[in-house]
Amino acid sequence: MNQAYSSPRRRHSPAKGITALIFGILYAAFLLLHDLLPTRMGIALILESALPWTGIFLALVLLMFLIRFSWLSAIGFLVPALVWTGMFGPALLPNEGSGDPDLTVATHNVGARMPQPTAAAQNIVDRDPDIVTIQELESLSGKIIHKELDSSFEHSQVVDTIGVWSKWPMSQPEEVDLGLQWPRAFATTISTDHGDIRFYAVHMPSVRPGHESMRNAALRRLATTVETDGAEHVVVAGDFNTATTDNNMETLVPPLQDTREEARGGFGFTWPSQFPVTRLDHVLYRGFDATSDEVLERGSSDHRAVLAGLDLK
């Protein structure tokens, strides 16, 4: 007697896509709780500086979802995708602009061994900013840039390796104590056509993984100084040697705002100049609206310059 053959039915596994779900939830938790990353061996410094780039893990979860298509893998992709988009999506919106700003501010760390200092200075001058702050002026190239800017701006203040050039008169510089043995920040009052603004030029200490305590302490001191400054309009610009995604910047942002975050138009990475992966250079402010934030084309420094537009409130 012939027995009818029936192929075995493919069994549906309720755990299909569980790997994508677990991986996705863990990645979403990492994004939400990155403030808890250990500082030992520079783990927090490295990961938070490149936090937007961790979105590459979304591609991995998406691949898992496509291979193991299920509602579990769908959740595993959607949850971190929503978290990442909520954190970084607004920065990717296009900048709408609003005409000519009340003032434009440029900042650039020109580096110690810039091979084309005159071109670097002219690159900024050609954009016709109202205020420029430069870091690392101690080198020969820095001195050349100093001279070039002096010929383009009527007013300037230089303290050690940091300088500010302005179209408008400035008060005498006031050194900001960052707890270091040498000046790395100063404040001045600039009498603009729109009223007085308090301008802070800063260059935070450099960091290496596992050795960021000096920079963190300097950030806290700067935040305290700015917080106690009673000026209505404040700009803090320069090389902070940290990204806004670094939780140590939370002492400054907020209460200050960041032109790149407010003006949008992309992440605005500035370092290293050949292939920027993080943003170390910032224009922070209080009492303004940010209208634009542009990272200039690569020069011969290891940093790219930032040009920001601000309107007084």
Side-chain angles (χ1 to χ4, degrees):
M1 182 172 137
N2 294 330
Q3 185 175 5
Y5 172 77
S6 61
S7 61
R9 179 178 297 179
R10 187 175 181 180
R11 303 179 70 180
H12 175 74
S13 172
K16 185 179 180 180
I18 190 68
T19 301
L21 175 65
I22 294 174
F23 192 91
I25 295 300
L26 288 175
Y27 174 56
F30 160 75
L31 290 175
L32 293 171
L33 303 174
H34 68 88
D35 287 359
L36 303 179
L37 286 169
T39 58
R40 185 179 180 183
M41 299 177 63
I43 294 174
L45 172 68
I46 295 171
L47 292 177
E48 287 187 323
S49 295
L51 203 59
W53 290 94
T54 63
I56 195 171
F57 289 116
L58 285 176
L60 180 58
V61 180
L62 177 61
L63 181 62
M64 294 180 183
F65 166 61
L66 295 175
I67 293 174
R68 301 288 290 173
F69 189 86
S70 72
W71 65 272
L72 287 179
S73 58
I75 294 174
F77 172 72
L78 289 175
V79 169
L82 289 173
V83 173
W84 190 95
T85 302
M87 292 176 66
F88 305 114
L92 300 178
L93 295 173
N95 173 255
E96 298 177 356
S98 58
D100 294 332
D102 290 335
L103 70 153
T104 53
V105 177
T107 178
H108 193 196
N109 181 327
V110 297
R113 296 183 179 87
M114 175 175 280
Q116 298 175 315
T118 302
Q122 197 60 44
N123 186 40
I124 293 176
V125 170
D126 287 346
R127 304 307 298 270
D128 194 29
D130 298 307
I131 304 169
V132 177
T133 179
I134 300 291
Q135 304 87 50
E136 296 202 24
L137 287 168
E138 75 276 15
S139 64
L140 176 60
S141 59
K143 293 175 182 177
I144 295 173
I145 289 172
H146 188 165
K147 183 178 179 180
E148 290 291 325
L149 292 176
D150 279 347
S151 65
S152 300
F153 290 87
E154 185 176 352
H155 308 279
S156 66
Q157 298 285 3
V158 175
V159 175
D160 202 65
T161 64
I162 309 168
V164 174
W165 285 261
S166 169
K167 292 182 177 180
W168 301 295
M170 295 185 283
S171 67
Q172 288 298 311
E174 305 163 34
E175 183 182 337
V176 177
D177 182 12
L178 299 181
L180 307 172
Q181 295 180 347
W182 59 96
R184 294 293 288 262
F186 71 87
T188 183
T189 299
I190 303 178
S191 301
T192 78
D193 293 342
H194 309 282
D196 289 351
I197 68 168
R198 191 71 166 159
F199 191 90
Y200 288 81
V202 305
H203 184 193
M204 287 292 131
S206 299
V207 294
R208 291 182 295 110
H211 298 84
E212 59 264 28
S213 59
M214 184 182 296
R215 184 213 58 188
N216 295 344
L219 282 170
R220 290 191 295 269
R221 283 175 174 265
L222 176 64
T224 299
T225 300
V226 174
E227 184 180 6
T228 56
D229 191 320
E232 181 180 1
H233 301 105
V234 176
V235 176
V236 185
D239 175 7
F240 289 77
N241 269 308
T242 188
T244 50
T245 46
D246 185 336
N247 69 81
N248 291 285
M249 277 288 279
E250 292 179 359
T251 58
L252 282 168
V253 184
L256 299 177
Q257 293 176 286
D258 185 289
T259 54
R260 173 55 59 162
E261 290 186 353
E262 297 304 314
R264 304 191 299 268
F267 293 122
F269 297 141
T270 62
W271 183 89
S273 61
Q274 287 187 322
F275 185 82
V277 297
T278 190
R279 183 177 173 102
L280 304 182
D281 308 271
H282 308 279
V283 178
L284 312 180
Y285 62 91
R286 181 176 75 211
F288 296 90
D289 288 319
T291 62
S292 63
D293 181 286
E294 181 183 357
V295 176
L296 302 188
E297 290 298 320
R298 177 193 168 199
S300 51
S301 172
D302 60 341
H303 289 248
R304 296 195 181 192
V306 172
L307 181 70
L310 296 168
D311 280 347
L312 279 80
K313 289 184 177 180

